[in-house]
Amino acid sequence: MQLYTFICDFFAIDAQPLGQRFVIAARGLTFEKAKLRAAEAALIRYPELAETQTPATFWESEYGAVQLVALYGDHLTDIVDQSTYDIFDAETVLREHRRTSTE
């Protein structure tokens, strides 16, 4: 699987959880599948957005997110100011969600 890092912001100010931009690393067989996994993890990380968004609409809705930059590889800690962005790994979020959902 290929790894991509997405640097993102929210389309609408009122859709911004904590008013913060985010960076997420996600894996997928293709860029599109990695983007979908990133959306799944973001909706777990920001559950208030899951009320109106799905992974399929997350990148396209006016209350979802926009990718400012998409990079090949893991750039979670070397590309942005870590005090300004919420930084997370999609696989970690998804794995933790599965673990807590089955308990």
Side-chain angles (χ1 to χ4, degrees):
M1 283 211 257
Q2 300 175 51
L3 177 64
Y4 295 91
T5 300
F6 302 96
I7 301 172
C8 309
D9 201 348
F10 293 94
F11 276 121
I13 297 287
D14 57 342
Q16 292 184 347
L18 309 173
Q20 198 167 21
R21 295 169 287 191
F22 64 97
V23 178
I24 183 169
R27 296 183 187 287
L29 293 174
T30 65
F31 174 78
E32 290 301 320
K33 290 186 189 277
K35 192 167 82 167
L36 187 62
R37 287 186 69 75
E40 291 171 7
L43 290 172
I44 292 167
R45 181 82 164 202
Y46 309 117
E48 60 276 18
L49 294 179
E51 297 172 10
T52 58
Q53 301 298 311
T54 67
T57 63
F58 184 70
W59 300 115
E60 299 169 4
S61 166
E62 65 187 52
Y63 290 101
V66 61
Q67 297 169 44
L68 303 174
V69 178
L71 303 165
Y72 184 76
D74 181 355
H75 298 281
L76 283 180
T77 59
D78 65 351
I79 202 96
V80 297
D81 178 356
Q82 295 179 29
S83 65
T84 308
Y85 286 80
D86 184 19
I87 299 172
F88 57 100
D89 176 76
E91 301 313 313
T92 302
V93 171
L94 293 168
R95 184 173 43 253
E96 182 64 21
H97 179 70
R98 280 191 300 269
R99 186 183 69 72
T100 58
S101 295
T102 58
E103 291 180 354

